[in-house]
Amino acid sequence: MSASSVLATGSAPTPPNESARRPLGRGFRTLWSAAVFSNLADGLGRTAVPLVAITLTSDPFVISVLTALAFVPWLLFGLPAGMIVDRLDRRYVMASANVIRGGVALWLAILGASGELALWALFVGTLIFGLGETLFDNATNAVIPGVVARDQLDRANGWIQAAQGTVDNFVAAPIAGVLFSVSLALPLWIGSAGYLVPVVLAVLLPLSAARSVSTAPRSSTDSTSPVSTRSALAHLWGHRYLRAMVVFTSLTGSALSFAQAALVLFFVDTMAVPAAGIGFVTAGIGIGALCGSLLSPRLVARWGRGPVMLAATFTGGVGMLLTGLAPSVWTAVLTFALAACTVSIWNVPWGSLRQQIVPAQMFGRVLGVIRTVTWGLFPVATLLGGLVARVDLRLPFLIGGVVTSLVALAGARLLVTGTRRAGAER
């Protein structure tokens, strides 16, 4: 059963045990494959760029600038990206985003091979990478309800999260570290080629992935018309639960961004990890992210979205705090893996409930607004974390972890009771 048929008929949801057995379908497999290859290319660049940066500077604040720039496009381009996703064929939006990112990776690889790669080029490249990410991630989230049924959203989002965690951390990051030890530009060369596969797969997605599942005609004055973001802003502002959740995620996300401002330097300098070994450290952390992605749908089915999100946020803060207190690289990896696990657990129900309660025809714009507000604050938090890291590379983890846990406790009623009352539970 397609998502469109469920929304159109309003039929009763499939029992959870039957939903768990029913295949997600060919369309989702194509989408998942595109996400796998896109994350492979992303992971190579995400690991290589900071490794290149620490060969050019050892200043934690400069490294935090590079990290912050990855979120700036969500502040500047999040809303336009949402409009593009709602107005155009989402398959071609995904393909175009990867063409952009592949071109940037190729440009950086050429500069690296010629010995001309400088910090300014890494800054520019990171910004453009982020531009492509706003389009690809927004489109991917908007496509999921078009290729699976409503009662399969948590499972589908769990598989997407698992793909990201597995490929980024277990495949791309170790490979990037090894390739970097051979040649500074090698991971960028391979990453630029890796973006070609998801371009093809995105185009091969079914027609249901092209636009929203709603087929009702709209006039130019319709409140759901994709002409502007006004309807998305009005919907978000008028939805008390979503509005409160945006504030909550802005606070917790900013605290976690603050904590991770100088992550690479923390492991290289404080924990004495060789630069070529960073990818293997990331792979160890990725175990937590993968476990969280696979566990989250089952936890949601057992306990509900609200309680799971509350537990994940609080535990994530504790994990960051313990990372700052870790006496060795092994304990730091374990505690950071715990935090990564909780982030993956959170992402699944948070993504699913938005897909469930936000009107499909304006989903891209609403998601764009949400991420512009939340992710737009992350660069500021990251820069502040970089400044604090100049004092001590452990300090951002300690502060960010404590703040995250306290915000989780303060938002307990919103997450548990508010999610249920808003009809955002499974």
Side-chain angles (χ1 to χ4, degrees), residues 283-332:
I285 294 169
I287 294 175
L290 175 61
C291 290
S293 300
L294 297 178
L295 285 173
S296 188
R298 297 183 181 184
L299 295 175
V300 169
R302 175 66 180 85
W303 301 104
R305 288 173 179 160
V308 168
M309 290 191 294
L310 171 60
T313 306
F314 179 78
T315 308
V318 173
M320 285 294 178
L321 174 62
L322 293 177
T323 301
L325 297 172
S328 69
V329 64
W330 300 110
T331 51

Side-chain angles (χ1 to χ4, degrees), residues 90-122:
R90 290 166 178 170
R91 299 170 299 178
Y92 296 113
V93 172
M94 294 171 65
S96 300
N98 279 328
V99 169
I100 292 171
R101 294 192 285 186
V104 173
L106 179 61
W107 173 61
L108 292 177
I110 293 173
L111 290 178
S114 64
E116 299 295 326
L117 191 55
L119 279 173
W120 71 267
L122 293 178

